[in-house]
Amino acid sequence: MCLTIPAEVIKIQGNKATIKSDREIKEINIAFDVNLKVNDWVLYISDIIVKKIPADEAREIIDLLKTRPQVSRENLSQEFQDIIKKSKTKELSLADIVYLLNASGAEKEVLSQEADFTRRATLKEFICIHGVIEFSSYCRCDCSYCGLNASNAAARRYRFTPAEIIANVLQAVNAGYKLLVLQSGEDAYYTDEMLEKIIKEIKRQAQVFIFLSVGERGYDSYKRLKEAGASGALFRFETTNENLFKKIHATGKDFKNRFEHLKFLKELGYYVASGPIIGLPGQTVQDLAADLLFIKQNKIPMISMGPFIPCPGTKFENEKNGTVELTLKMIAVARLMMPTSRIPCTTAFETLFDSPNEARSVALTGGANALMFILTDKKYRADYKIYPGREIVLNELWEKFGLWRNDESFRMLSERINERT
Ligand code: 5AD
């Protein structure tokens, strides 16, 4: 679904209206079923008004997406200014990226502002909201950071039946979601045949894009699931540093296999979402800069990255978390390097704030352009503990503003997904 900045109607002439938001004034068309008068507040996509909304609600969302306060640009170092300028026309080097990831004070603020500017210039005001349905908390892996690791006897395990998965998806589609991620631990209980049937049934019943986030299942499995109707795969590479990778996967994961998956997912036509975990124990800014270069070189269209969150019951339970600051700088640099990419604000990032809306607001005004909402049936939600705090969900305000039921929003998403696969 899409979310967009509200605007106030300042003039109406026939089926055209002049609208004014805090970003622009323009004349656009009015959808045939929207009844308008001057001073009404509306939501619009491209050049058409699609929905009228109450003024107080318009203010709420403007507040969430308001631009950052301007900071003085007087004391920025020459090097910083040169790198920002370079990012607009040339490729950034590893050293440039490291410089930006180390930015502090005013430079850190300006970095986020530049990313916000780039996002608005390239993608306008469309914020996409995707849903995640976590259908199984069983996992055969032993990743050092993840609460679902197989050795964690305290983890509560559940599995959706195929009928439950389909019901959860249809419920989300009815609420207006048009892109859903089906996520689970690496759970061999679900055979290819089962997943194939589930995907086909969803595609038969609903107009929705299905992304898989089910780990390393191998080429044949992903091929079959693509043919069944899956559109994308959320598959974090986690780190491009092989030594660090070994540290976070003492057993059961192979660095090469992970990157082979990324390669064939792309070849199979999956819309790939991938990226690092930010702030892993022992990870350096050089590692993260290399991760961004990897994403760029491999033209990964959706950059999925979030801070490391220590989780009880894991090898890393006493380690420090990845910071808000570094995550925001990663989002900003990614936006400058890849202006048209899809960059979601991840749930892990939201857990670092008192309220998820605060997190969403800073990420969306710092280069991010998408949100990921957990839609897992409430009965199971608290048991998908890859890290703590994930169950806090505050979606109502955003859902209220979504251009949910609009076919236009589905069409736009189709164009973007097809263009990149
Ligand atoms: N901290 C941060 N990210 C984590 N993930 C799993 N556990 C953690 C954690 N403790 C990430 C994985 C997975 C995504 C859904 O969440 O990278 O791909």
Side-chain angles (χ1 to χ4, degrees):
M1 90 118 194
C2 295
L3 183 85
T4 180
I5 277 271
E8 191 176 4
V9 176
I10 54 175
K11 194 172 134 193
I12 298 179
Q13 252 179 343
N15 62 347
K16 286 195 187 295
T18 306
I19 54 161
K20 178 174 177 284
S21 72
D22 68 341
R23 319 261 159 99
E24 60 182 352
I25 295 183
K26 68 175 188 177
E27 190 185 66
I28 62 175
N29 297 312
I30 307 169
F32 69 94
D33 57 348
V34 183
N35 241 322
L36 283 186
K37 52 183 189 339
V38 170
N39 294 336
D40 277 346
W41 283 85
V42 294
L43 294 179
Y44 63 103
I45 315 186
S46 338
D47 54 358
I48 187 156
I49 291 174
V50 291
K51 191 171 170 180
K52 188 159 102 174
I53 59 170
D56 54 335
E57 295 187 355
R59 247 158 248 131
E60 253 179 302
I61 198 140
I62 287 169
D63 212 42
L64 278 167
L65 296 176
K66 67 172 173 268
T67 46
R68 290 164 173 257
Q70 291 292 324
V71 286
S72 159
R73 298 195 169 211
E74 266 165 33
N75 295 318
L76 305 176
S77 72
Q78 193 56 45
E79 189 170 0
F80 177 82
Q81 295 180 52
D82 290 346
I83 297 173
I84 294 291
K85 204 185 277 168
K86 180 178 172 187
S87 75
K88 296 182 201 293
T89 51
K90 296 200 186 83
E91 311 269 298
L92 294 183
S93 68
L94 189 87
D96 296 332
I97 300 168
V98 168
Y99 187 97
L100 294 180
L101 293 180
N102 281 324
S104 60
E107 292 187 354
K108 186 185 73 182
E109 275 310 305
V110 172
L111 175 62
S112 287
Q113 254 166 32
E114 286 289 330
D116 188 31
F117 177 78
T118 303
R119 194 264 302 163
R120 283 190 277 126
T122 52
L123 302 171
K124 306 281 185 304
E125 298 302 347
F126 306 120
I127 304 300
C128 299
I129 304 187
H130 310 317
V132 185
I133 294 171
E134 303 144 329
F135 64 92
S136 165
S137 66
Y138 282 86
C139 190
R140 65 179 176 86
C141 305
D142 246 322
C143 309
S144 309
Y145 54 82
C146 180
L148 300 187
N149 72 81
S151 319
N152 185 5
R156 298 231 299 251
R157 311 286 175 174
Y158 67 85
R159 273 187 190 115
F160 279 31
T161 63
E164 282 177 311
I165 298 178
I166 294 165
N168 205 153
V169 165
L170 294 179
Q171 193 185 22
V173 173
N174 279 335
Y177 288 86
K178 295 175 178 71
L179 194 163
L180 294 170
V181 179
L182 294 184
Q183 188 173 96
S184 68
E186 290 199 10
D187 185 2
Y189 167 85
Y190 298 91
T191 60
D192 293 346
E193 193 184 347
M194 280 166 82
L195 291 181
E196 178 182 44
K197 274 198 184 141
I198 292 166
I199 295 168
K200 281 190 171 158
E201 188 54 23
I202 292 168
K203 297 299 282 189
R204 194 182 69 75
Q205 293 199 43
Q207 203 188 29
V208 61
F209 289 103
I210 296 295
F211 278 43
L212 297 170
S213 178
V214 292
E216 296 173 17
R217 290 183 70 94
Y219 179 87
D220 292 345
S221 178
Y222 273 107
K223 180 166 189 289
R224 189 160 166 185
L225 301 179
K226 182 77 183 54
E227 283 161 8
S231 298
L234 202 153
F235 192 92
R236 292 251 181 104
F237 57 75
E238 300 172 341
T239 174
T240 52
N241 177 334
E242 187 164 1
N243 287 328
L244 180 60
F245 189 90
K246 284 190 180 132
K247 194 170 147 191
I248 61 179
H249 300 292
T251 51
K253 282 255 177 277
D254 175 54
F255 186 68
K256 253 212 213 119
N257 187 40
R258 194 133 195 105
F259 285 84
E260 265 159 26
H261 267 75
L262 268 189
K263 192 159 167 263
F264 70 61
L265 285 170
K266 194 170 149 195
E267 283 162 13
L268 286 170
Y270 278 94
Y271 187 96
V272 176
S274 191
I277 299 178
I278 301 164
L280 285 164
Q283 188 183 43
T284 64
V285 282
Q286 277 78 9
D287 291 333
L288 289 168
D291 293 344
L292 289 174
L293 281 174
F294 175 86
I295 294 171
K296 166 116 193 173
Q297 277 150 13
N298 289 280
K299 301 192 171 66
I300 293 171
M302 179 154 158
I303 307 172
S304 164
M305 54 189 181
F308 159 67
I309 312 290
C311 180
T314 64
K315 293 194 190 76
F316 288 171
E317 65 182 356
N318 295 318
E319 301 287 347
K320 283 205 196 74
N321 63 271
T323 62
V324 167
E325 206 173 269
L326 188 55
T327 307
L328 282 175
K329 286 190 275 188
M330 284 290 285
I331 291 174
V333 179
R335 174 60 66 208
L336 294 182
M337 292 171 71
M338 294 158 277
T340 60
S341 60
R342 199 171 275 264
I343 308 181
C345 163
T346 53
T347 320
F349 183 67
E350 294 172 8
T351 66
L352 297 177
F353 290 74
D354 290 337
S355 151
N357 277 343
E358 216 181 309
R360 292 163 185 172
S361 183
V362 288
L364 292 175
T365 55
N369 71 316
L371 299 171
M372 283 276 184
F373 286 0
I374 296 172
L375 306 176
T376 308
D377 192 297
K378 288 202 174 67
K379 188 160 69 169
Y380 299 112
R381 200 173 283 174
D383 292 338
Y384 197 82
K385 272 212 167 48
I386 51 180
Y387 45 79
R390 199 170 152 88
E391 62 282 2
I392 302 166
V393 176
L394 234 184
N395 300 344
E396 295 74 11
L397 175 68
W398 301 85
E399 291 184 349
K400 205 161 61 180
F401 292 115
L403 300 173
W404 299 115
R405 285 162 220 290
N406 206 281
D407 277 351
E408 181 80 359
S409 144
F410 187 81
R411 187 185 58 71
M412 280 177 25
L413 192 59
S414 311
E415 277 171 11
R416 283 177 199 180
I417 286 180
N418 294 335
E419 182 180 296
R420 299 297 291 263
T421 49

